Amino acid sequence: MTTPRMLKPGDTIGILGGGQLARMIALAAAPLGLKAHIYAPEDGSPAFDVASAHTRAAYDDLAALERFAGAVDVVTYEFENVPVYTADFLARHVPVHPGPHALGITQDRLEEKEFVSGLNIKTAPFAAVHDEAELEAALNRIGRPAVLKTRRFGYDGKGQAIIREGDDAAAKFAHIGRHPSILEGFVPFEREVSIVAARTEDGRFEAYEVTQNEHRHHILHRSTVPADVSPAVAAVSREIARRIGEALGYVGVFAVEMFLVVVDGAQGVIVNEIAPRVHNSGHWTLDGAVTSQFEQHVRAIAGWPLGAVERYGRVEMTNLIGDEADDWLAVLEEPGAHLHLYGKEEARPGRKMGHVTRIFDED
Amino acid sequence: MTTPRMLKPGDTIGILGGGQLARMIALAAAPLGLKAHIYAPEDGSPAFDVASAHTRAAYDDLAALERFAGAVDVVTYEFENVPVYTADFLARHVPVHPGPHALGITQDRLEEKEFVSGLNIKTAPFAAVHDEAELEAALNRIGRPAVLKTRRFGYDGKGQAIIREGDDAAAKFAHIGRHPSILEGFVPFEREVSIVAARTEDGRFEAYEVTQNEHRHHILHRSTVPADVSPAVAAVSREIARRIGEALGYVGVFAVEMFLVVVDGAQGVIVNEIAPRVHNSGHWTLDGAVTSQFEQHVRAIAGWPLGAVERYGRVEMTNLIGDEADDWLAVLEEPGAHLHLYGKEEARPGRKMGHVTRIFDED
């Protein structure tokens, strides 16, 4: 581990990925006096519009990566599917936060589950699936219903299939492409919650309050805070995030998605997934907390003090998916609603086009 | 007057000037789904770093202006010294907000004073000064001390001289360059206050609360809100702003700087200056109000609904002038302080490098 290095105003943050998360990181970096350089393969990436520089190149273009590394003072990313060898290559030239190690673990659902349960933190029961025989054995052990997921590259419900009583398991495996997979026991949860936290290289840690999340068609629809969880669950969630961050040697903002379960009348949480990046369920912090998750991420990767995480009231964040973003004028007309559009040109179904935050006085 | 035209997400705002005000307008435009194109003569202008496009060209480069007009959907500016012929030229191609008329009046201290007093709104006594004879006559009428100011291009105390008892008036006139000037009576004010307001093309109007301003060496040092003014003065100030906006046919955010005077124990205000743009004394709205002045300006020039102007508490905005910006780390360490750096490379004395906002619970 290298000595923590502190950025100074005028320095440049390199961001891999050019979508809305990169865009909001860049927007948060500017008031702190930092420049953003976006690296993304797609033309017209939304983050290009708010950055001082951008490189349009593939993640395996070593010449472009080397030039990028030379032009920035730290590298971060907006999504967990950046190839680990890309992060490794960059890390030889410039600090990369979070590091390739955290990236490698969190981009493989099986490794991630093994890592979490290795910390004695509860997850759903799970088993590796490479072929039909392993799938059958896993189903016998875990039972049905169960969720079959590709180990890599799944998000927003993609690369997943539920196997219920009577389903043809092999057909479901074929449906998700027969990729190396993980079978997970179905968790009868009360609700979905998450915790967004930040850690610095020298171990400082801050977590926002637990957020309650409502999905529609496997895509986050709404996050609300405070979540309807017991003080014990709030404390446990924070401790889970702290231990995960510590064990990963994590630098930056990350999210832990959890299922809230009730056993014998007592609330408990089961970790579903770690996102090694700023997270949709933390978007409420943009208007609802003293420091947004985007500023917090910038502070953490810059080696700076973390900001205060207090919230301004009861906060509600609603995603604008696909043509829901056509309602932008109604949002502008609503007193106190904060519109956040991502600058995407085409509103495809299921595509996250923006979000709205609303802040209410506490009851 | 043309029918108000409404921008839509994906459209581009053109901004003349590339300093911190343009930068903060561009940062506010992005979450609303709008792009920013900065037009400025200076290399490395701070606003370039957060805009989707920039043109580095002079304000009299008609070919560059025409290309700029063709690339944007509305034009605005961050400072009042844009030549009126530049605004006029652009207005033949694209909507310019605020319009050349408001620009012309507010960039000439004499025209501005005549305009304000023509609305029966109180100003300091004033007189035009073109030569030493006029200066002498003006001093005889207005008395000493008085303030001699160039009619154009003054800001932050530049182009001003106080003429006191015994001073050589002609020498003072020579000192400010013998430019066409205005002599203003010295106002024995209690404090300096301002009101930042927004108006749309179809006459909607919103004003933030009156702000109290403290200057050091003629440069704004600190703004606090609420100001220590009576409810009557608050109402009068709002009405002054409304009438000025109305009479100018103003579109966008503007500020009215005023002197608070006390006559026979009763507070009153005297208008000092109109700024046809977002204003330093409105920076507190960035973290301290539901809608920042920058978002409000974007909404107004886009033809969109104005946002809510309520504040979140008692707010204090402190400028970071020159090497005061070296204290950035101490600001980051202070819980709840919001750092805003402008991305300027060189911290010259007297140069505005950034600001800090602090929000406190109301007493």
Side-chain angles (χ1 to χ4, degrees):
Chain A
M1 186 157 143
T2 55
T3 311
R5 183 166 154 276
M6 205 185 260
L7 296 199
K8 55 185 189 316
D11 284 349
T12 301
I13 292 180
I15 307 175
L16 299 171
Q20 66 266 24
L21 301 182
R23 178 176 163 104
M24 290 186 275
I25 294 169
L27 287 171
L32 301 175
L34 297 169
K35 296 183 173 120
H37 183 145
I38 309 293
Y39 188 110
E42 299 85 12
D43 255 333
S45 292
F48 291 171
D49 288 340
V50 297
S52 68
H54 70 263
T55 298
R56 206 192 58 66
Y59 293 122
D60 60 1
D61 182 338
L62 297 188
L65 287 170
E66 193 163 350
R67 280 193 302 275
F68 174 67
V72 303
D73 299 285
V74 66
V75 167
T76 190
Y77 30 80
E78 65 151 9
F79 73 128
E80 57 269 46
N81 291 325
V82 169
V84 171
Y85 66 79
T86 301
D88 270 330
F89 177 82
L90 290 167
R92 291 204 295 271
H93 299 81
V94 63
V96 174
H97 295 312
H101 173 63
L103 187 65
I105 289 177
T106 55
Q107 69 184 209
D108 182 318
R109 289 180 197 280
L110 180 65
E111 277 192 52
E112 184 179 293
K113 280 279 188 313
E114 285 169 346
F115 164 76
V116 173
S117 62
L119 295 173
N120 286 316
I121 294 169
K122 264 193 204 153
T123 67
F126 64 92
V129 171
H130 291 94
D131 53 34
E132 286 73 5
E134 269 189 341
L135 175 56
E136 208 47 48
L139 279 167
N140 285 337
R141 182 163 70 79
I142 290 168
R144 301 181 180 217
V147 189
L148 186 65
K149 300 177 178 176
T150 57
R151 284 172 58 173
R152 305 172 78 86
F153 298 116
Y155 67 95
D156 288 350
K158 292 181 176 72
Q160 300 195 11
I162 298 182
I163 303 179
R164 298 177 202 277
E165 221 52 68
D167 279 347
D168 178 348
K172 296 275 183 172
F173 189 35
H175 180 71
I176 63 167
R178 282 191 97 255
H179 295 293
S181 295
I182 177 173
L183 186 77
E184 300 180 7
F186 199 81
V187 176
F189 59 86
E190 292 287 309
R191 38 189 165 273
E192 296 173 273
V193 296
S194 60
I195 187 159
V196 174
R199 188 179 179 275
T200 61
E201 195 161 358
D202 56 0
R204 284 164 292 145
F205 175 84
E206 288 287 352
Y208 294 96
E209 276 178 65
V210 174
T211 304
Q212 185 163 318
N213 304 312
E214 182 193 338
H215 289 77
R216 285 189 186 170
H217 314 296
H218 297 286
I219 300 173
L220 182 64
H221 165 61
R222 181 168 291 158
S223 293
T224 49
V225 58
D228 187 8
V229 298
S230 65
V233 158
V236 163
S237 301
R238 186 187 158 86
E239 186 56 16
I240 286 173
R242 199 194 56 73
R243 287 173 56 210
I244 287 174
E246 196 68 33
L248 288 173
Y250 197 89
V251 179
V253 163
F254 63 103
V256 183
E257 298 179 33
M258 298 171 290
F259 297 125
L260 185 80
V261 293
V262 178
V263 180
D264 298 333
Q267 288 187 347
V269 283
I270 288 180
V271 168
N272 179 37
E273 207 171 304
I274 304 168
R277 52 171 170 80
V278 291
H279 193 256
N280 198 163
S281 73
H283 287 3
W284 66 266
T285 61
L286 257 181
D287 304 292
V290 175
T291 310
S292 78
Q293 65 165 347
F294 304 102
E295 176 173 341
Q296 195 74 307
H297 184 64
V298 171
R299 284 172 175 249
I301 65 172
W304 291 354
L306 295 178
V309 295
E310 282 75 29
R311 61 188 162 77
Y312 288 129
R314 185 169 68 79
V315 193
E316 201 177 277
M317 187 291 308
T318 307
N319 273 336
L320 300 173
I321 309 288
D323 58 15
E324 287 169 6
D326 295 347
D327 294 338
W328 58 272
L329 188 55
V331 176
L332 289 172
E333 275 164 353
E334 185 188 326
H338 295 272
L339 179 66
H340 296 271
L341 293 177
Y342 302 152
K344 296 180 183 177
E345 281 164 28
E346 201 194 338
R348 291 194 294 269
R351 195 176 200 202
K352 291 176 179 171
M353 302 299 293
H355 72 267
V356 184
T357 47
R358 296 175 173 91
I359 301 154
F360 307 94
D361 289 338
E362 296 273 10
D363 305 327
Chain B
M1 182 158 145
T2 53
T3 310
R5 184 166 153 277
M6 205 185 260
L7 296 199
K8 57 186 188 316
D11 283 350
T12 301
I13 293 181
I15 307 174
L16 298 172
Q20 66 266 26
L21 301 182
R23 179 176 163 104
M24 290 186 277
I25 294 169
L27 287 172
L32 302 176
L34 297 169
K35 296 183 173 120
H37 183 146
I38 309 294
Y39 188 110
E42 300 86 9
D43 256 333
S45 291
F48 291 172
D49 288 339
V50 296
S52 67
H54 69 263
T55 297
R56 206 192 59 66
Y59 292 123
D60 59 2
D61 182 339
L62 297 188
L65 287 170
E66 193 164 347
R67 280 193 303 274
F68 174 67
V72 304
D73 299 285
V74 66
V75 167
T76 190
Y77 30 80
E78 64 150 8
F79 74 127
E80 57 270 45
N81 290 327
V82 169
V84 171
Y85 65 80
T86 300
D88 270 329
F89 178 81
L90 289 168
R92 290 204 297 271
H93 299 82
V94 63
V96 175
H97 296 311
H101 173 65
L103 188 65
I105 288 176
T106 54
Q107 69 184 209
D108 182 319
R109 289 179 196 282
L110 181 65
E111 277 193 54
E112 183 178 291
K113 279 278 188 314
E114 285 168 344
F115 163 77
V116 172
S117 61
L119 295 173
N120 286 316
I121 294 170
K122 264 194 204 152
T123 68
F126 63 92
V129 170
H130 292 96
D131 54 34
E132 286 73 7
E134 269 190 341
L135 175 56
E136 208 48 49
L139 280 167
N140 285 338
R141 181 163 71 78
I142 289 169
R144 301 182 181 216
V147 190
L148 186 65
K149 300 177 176 176
T150 58
R151 283 172 60 173
R152 305 172 77 86
F153 299 116
Y155 67 97
D156 288 349
K158 293 182 176 72
Q160 301 196 11
I162 299 181
I163 302 179
R164 298 177 202 278
E165 221 52 68
D167 280 346
D168 177 348
K172 296 276 184 173
F173 188 36
H175 179 72
I176 63 165
R178 284 192 94 255
H179 296 293
S181 294
I182 176 173
L183 187 77
E184 299 179 6
F186 198 83
V187 177
F189 58 86
E190 293 287 309
R191 39 189 165 271
E192 296 173 272
V193 296
S194 60
I195 187 160
V196 174
R199 187 179 179 276
T200 60
E201 193 160 1
D202 56 359
R204 284 164 292 146
F205 175 84
E206 288 287 351
Y208 294 96
E209 275 179 65
V210 174
T211 304
Q212 185 162 318
N213 304 313
E214 182 194 336
H215 290 77
R216 284 189 186 170
H217 315 295
H218 297 286
I219 300 173
L220 183 63
H221 164 60
R222 180 168 292 160
S223 293
T224 48
V225 59
D228 187 8
V229 299
S230 66
V233 158
V236 164
S237 301
R238 186 188 157 87
E239 185 58 15
I240 286 173
R242 199 195 57 74
R243 288 173 57 211
I244 286 175
E246 197 68 33
L248 288 174
Y250 196 89
V251 179
V253 162
F254 62 104
V256 182
E257 297 178 36
M258 298 171 290
F259 296 125
L260 185 81
V261 294
V262 178
V263 180
D264 298 332
Q267 288 186 347
V269 283
I270 288 179
V271 167
N272 179 37
E273 208 172 303
I274 304 167
R277 53 170 170 78
V278 290
H279 193 255
N280 197 164
S281 73
H283 287 3
W284 66 267
T285 61
L286 257 181
D287 304 291
V290 175
T291 309
S292 79
Q293 67 166 344
F294 303 101
E295 175 173 341
Q296 195 74 305
H297 185 64
V298 171
R299 284 171 175 250
I301 66 173
W304 290 353
L306 295 178
V309 295
E310 282 75 27
R311 61 187 163 78
Y312 288 129
R314 185 169 69 77
V315 192
E316 200 178 278
M317 187 292 306
T318 307
N319 273 337
L320 300 173
I321 309 288
D323 58 16
E324 288 169 4
D326 295 347
D327 294 338
W328 57 273
L329 188 56
V331 176
L332 288 173
E333 275 164 354
E334 186 188 327
H338 295 271
L339 178 66
H340 296 271
L341 293 177
Y342 303 152
K344 297 179 182 178
E345 281 164 29
E346 203 192 340
R348 291 194 294 269
R351 193 175 201 203
K352 292 176 179 171
M353 301 300 293
H355 71 267
V356 184
T357 47
R358 296 176 174 90
I359 302 154
F360 307 93
D361 289 336
E362 296 273 11
D363 306 327

